[in-house]
Amino acid sequence: MEKLMANAFQPGWIKKITRPNHRNALILDDSAMMLEVEATHAPNGYLVDVDPILLVAEAILNCIFLGIDRIINGSHQHENMLDEKDALLNYDGIHGELAFVIQKVSCELSCKCSGGNVHTITVAILNNLSSYTWDAKAVISMASFAVNYGELWLVALVFETNPLAKSVAYLKQVSDIIDQSSSLKSEFDTINDLVKAALNLTKCISEFRELPSEYISDDEPPKSIALAYIPTAVYWIIRSLVASGSHITSLLGQNHELITLAEETWELSSLASKLSSIHDNLKTQLALCNQHIDERKHEEYFHKLVRLFETTPHIDNQKIFTHLIYLEDDPLPLEVGTTKSRVGVDALRGKTVLLLITDLDISSDELRLLDHIYQQSRNKLEFQYEIVWLPIVDRPMSWNEGHTLKFHELQSKMPWYTLHHPNLLELAVARYIKEVWHYVKKPILVALDPQGKVVSQNALHIVWIWGNLAYDFTSMKEEALWRKETWTLRLLVDGIDRFILDSIEADKYICLYGGDDIEWIRRFTTIAKDVAIAADIRLEMVYVGKNGSREKVQRINEIISEKNYSRCWTDITSVWDFWTRLESSSTQIARARGDMLLTSLEDFSSWEGEAKQKGFVPALIDYLQRRHTTEHCNRLILPGIDGDIPEMVVCTECHKPMEKFYMYSCCDE
C-alpha cells in the first residue's frame, strides 16, 4: 500500500479522479427549482440586524480580494480598511444564537463541499436558515464563507513565523498553496471574482431592506418586482459560495501539477456571469425604487412648501428659510459673494428679504444696477433688508468646471448673501419657484417680510424704477408709488437722457425707435422726418437700440451718428436701463412691428386729418388698429433649448397661442 502511494505521485503520473458533474446544475428547471427553494422559507417574524455582520464579512473578503501574491508578501491592507475599523468600534458583537448559526453554516460549507451535489447542499443550507428573511440568509451565508476563507488565508499569512500556524498549515495543506502560488493564482482569482459578485449582489439585496416604507410599500412596483426575484438571487448566492468552497477543497486536497480542474473553473465563471446578470437586474429595479421614492419625497416637499407659504403668520422667517434652503449637509449655506464669509439662515431673522432668483446668465448690467441700489441702502437705517441669490440650475445638466467658474464669477460681483452652492436648493423648491412664483429664465425679485410672508412675487420692476424708495417692496407700497407718479416718457428717460427731458419741456414730439436692421432705420427716419414736416409737428428722434444686443447696437450707433439719421445713446448701459424700465412698467403699451409702423408713416396722408383732430399719437394708434387683419405671420425667436422656453406664447396680433417649431441658426455677427 505504501509502495502504491509512493508510485502514485511519481513525476509524469496522471491521476484520474472522478468528480460529480456540476455543469448540468446550471441548467436546472428554474421554476421547479424555485418551488423547492421557496418551500424552505418559514420566517418567524423576528428581524435580525445583519448590517454589522455584512460589514465584517466584507472587511475579511476585501483583504483577500487583493490577490494571493499580495497576501503572501504581506501587502494585504486595502484603502477602506481604516473606515471599516472605525465602523467596527461601534459594534457590540454578534448575538450568541446568530454566532451559532454562522458557525453551523460554516461547517456545512467546509464539510459538505468536499463532495456531493451543489444544489442539494444549497437547499440544505437554506433549510438551516428557514426562519430568517431572504436578505439575512444571504448575509449569514456570506459571513460563514468569509470565516472559512479568512481562516485559510490567515494561516497562510503567518505560518512562516508562527509555530502554531505552521502546524495547522501543514495539516490543512496550506503550505502547498504557498509553494505553488504562482501556478494557482488564476484559480484563486476565479474564486475571488465569483465571491466578489456574490458579495455585491448581497449588498444590493440588503439595500431593498433600507427603502423607506412610507414612500414605497412591499406590494408596490417596482419594489414588488424586485422582492419576487430576491429568493432566486439568494439561492444563486449560496450556490456560488458552495461551488467556491468545493473548488477551494479541491485545490487543498490534490497535487496541482497533476490534475486539471478546468470543469470546475468553468462552472465558477458561469456562476459569476449569472450573478452579475441578476445584480444588473436588481440594480435596475433598485434605481426605479429610488426614483419612485425621490418623486414621492419631491411631491411631499413641494406641497409642504405650498402649505407653509399659505399658513400665515409665522413667528419669524426661520421656518420658511429652513425649508427653502437645504441645511442637512451644510449648517452655513449662505455666503457673502464678495467676502466669502459663511453664515446660517439665522442671519436673516427679523429682516425683509429679497430673493434674487436667476440662472447663471444674469447680465452684468443687472448686477451693476442692483449693486448700486443695495450699496445705497447700507448707509440708511430705514432700509433694513437683505438680498439672497438663489441660482436656478437644471440638475440634469452636467455640472462641470465651466459652470463652477461662472457661478463663482457671479458670486464675486454680489455683496449680498448667495447660496454657497446651487445644489443647496432642493428640486422641489426650484419647482415651487417656477410654478408658484412664475419664474421663467428672466430674473425675479421675490420680497418676503420679516415673518416670511411673500409680499411681492416680483418686486424687480419697482426696484429698477424707484430703487430703495420701493422699500418695503409690498404691493401696497407699489400702488402708493404709482399714485404719486404718472407713467410718462419722463419716467423712462429720467437720468438717462437730459436732451429728451429738455425736448419734453419744449413741447416737442419724441420718437424713440429701436431694432437692428440698418436699412429699415434709414427708411424709417427719412419718412418720419417727412411726416413731421407734413404734420407740422416738432419731432425729435432717438435710437434706443435693442435689448440684449450690445455689440450690434454699438455698430448701428456708429452708422446712425455718421449718417446723421437721428440722435442715439452712445452709452450702451443707458440702452439697457431704458429697456429695463420699459419692461418694468405695468401700463399697457401700444405696439407695432417695424414694417407695420413704417407702412403707417408712408400712408400718413390717409390719417392726416385724424392726427390734426385727435392728436398725432391717438390717431396713429387708431390707424394701427384698423390695419390689423386676421391674416398675419408672426415669428418669435427665443434663444436656448434648456427647458426654460415657455410652453405657450400668445401672438401679439391676434392674441391666440402660437405654434411651436424648432429652428437652427448660425450667425457670426
Side-chain angles (χ1 to χ4, degrees), residues 40 192 298 363 486:
T40 67
N192 288 346
H298 178 89
S363 73
T486 303

Side-chain angles (χ1 to χ4, degrees), residues 295-524:
E295 290 171 355
R296 289 281 180 88
K297 288 182 176 179
H298 178 89
E299 285 296 319
E300 181 183 69
Y301 205 122
F302 175 79
H303 291 294
K304 183 184 291 185
L305 282 173
V306 172
R307 291 192 300 270
L308 194 61
F309 277 104
E310 288 178 348
T311 304
T312 55
H314 298 286
I315 298 175
D316 56 28
N317 56 15
Q318 293 300 284
K319 192 172 184 179
I320 291 291
F321 282 112
T322 54
H323 284 80
L324 274 180
I325 301 171
Y326 189 70
L327 302 178
E328 187 171 323
D329 295 332
D330 195 338
L332 301 175
L334 300 179
E335 177 178 315
V336 178
T338 51
T339 66
K340 303 302 179 185
S341 57
R342 302 279 298 276
V343 297
V345 296
D346 56 324
L348 306 175
R349 190 188 305 272
K351 296 181 180 179
T352 296
V353 177
L354 297 177
L355 299 177
L356 175 61
I357 300 170
T358 78
D359 57 16
L360 298 184
D361 293 325
I362 183 172
S363 73
S364 57
D365 288 322
E366 289 170 306
L367 288 179
R368 175 195 55 77
L369 182 56
L370 190 58
D371 177 46
H372 175 70
I373 296 170
Y374 180 76
Q375 296 292 3
Q376 285 183 330
S377 73
R378 300 301 90 180
N379 300 323
K380 298 183 179 180
L381 294 177
E382 65 267 29
F383 301 137
Q384 292 297 310
Y385 69 89
E386 296 292 346
I387 299 177
V388 178
W389 180 40
L390 301 182
I392 302 294
V393 178
D394 290 333
R395 294 291 177 86
M397 178 183 70
S398 56
W399 188 266
N400 56 37
E401 186 63 25
H403 299 124
T404 301
L405 291 174
K406 180 65 174 177
F407 173 72
H408 289 312
E409 177 190 351
L410 291 173
Q411 265 191 325
S412 66
K413 299 176 180 178
M414 299 180 181
W416 48 78
Y417 294 122
T418 71
L419 282 190
H420 176 61
H421 193 279
N423 63 12
L424 293 173
L425 201 68
E426 285 279 0
L427 289 175
V429 177
R431 175 188 168 191
Y432 183 90
I433 289 172
K434 292 177 181 179
E435 293 187 13
V436 179
W437 293 344
H438 309 297
Y439 167 78
V440 184
K441 197 167 182 65
K442 292 188 65 174
I444 62 174
L445 203 61
V446 179
L448 278 64
D449 69 11
Q451 286 72 45
K453 178 184 177 182
V454 176
V455 294
S456 174
Q457 287 191 3
N458 190 7
L460 195 59
H461 57 283
I462 61 173
V463 170
W464 287 158
I465 296 173
W466 284 288
N468 289 309
L469 293 178
Y471 181 83
D472 54 0
F473 315 107
T474 63
S475 299
M476 293 179 60
K477 182 68 174 183
E478 180 180 4
E479 292 173 3
L481 289 170
W482 279 116
R483 281 196 298 268
K484 295 179 181 178
E485 182 70 66
T486 303
W487 193 91
T488 62
L489 185 57
R490 183 186 302 276
L491 181 64
L492 289 177
V493 300
D494 188 22
I496 295 177
D497 191 336
R498 182 65 217 179
F499 174 81
I500 293 180
L501 297 179
D502 292 340
S503 298
I504 294 173
E505 292 295 329
D507 203 25
K508 293 182 180 180
Y509 283 84
I510 310 298
C511 174
L512 305 179
Y513 70 96
D516 55 12
D517 184 342
I518 194 63
E519 176 58 25
W520 181 90
I521 291 173
R522 184 193 65 78
R523 292 180 58 201
F524 173 76

